Amino acid sequence: MVQENAAGESDAPQIPPAALERWQTFADDTPLQLTLTKGDLDNLLLALRNLAIGQSELVAALAAHTNQDQEGSVDAMVRANEVARMAFGRINALIGAIMGAAAPAPGGGR
C-alpha cells in the first residue's frame, strides 16, 4: 500500500534501502538486539490508536450509508482514510527504526 499526496509523492517516511538490505541478511530465526526510543514506541501506540479510530469511522460510514445519508457516509470514509494514512506513516517509521537499529544478539541470544 503506497500512500501518495496530491503531487504523487509519498507522505510516509520511507524505509532506508540500506536498512532493508541489511534486514534481509538476517535469517528468520536470528535472535536480535535493538534499542528503541520513546518516539519509536509512540509511533507504535499512535498507529494502533489511529487504526482503531479508522475502524470506528468505517462503522460510522456503514451506518450512515445504511441510513441513506450519503454525505455522512462520505465524510466518515474521508476521515477513515486520513487516519489510515497517519497510521501507515507511523508504522513505516517504526519499521524503519527497527530495521535500522536491529543487530544480531551477541552470542546468538537465547
Side-chain angles (χ1 to χ4, degrees), residues 2 37 86 95 100 104:
V2 175
T37 67
M86 288 187 285
I95 290 169

Side-chain angles (χ1 to χ4, degrees), residues 51-95:
L51 291 172
I53 291 169
Q55 185 175 7
S56 294
E57 290 294 342
L58 290 175
V59 169
L62 180 59
H65 176 74
T66 301
N67 292 324
Q68 298 179 350
D69 177 5
Q70 184 175 358
E71 184 177 342
S73 180
V74 169
D75 289 346
M77 289 293 291
V78 167
R79 288 190 304 272
N81 185 53
E82 288 171 357
V83 294
R85 291 172 64 94
M86 288 187 285
F88 178 81
R90 289 188 177 279
I91 290 168
N92 232 16
L94 176 63
I95 290 169

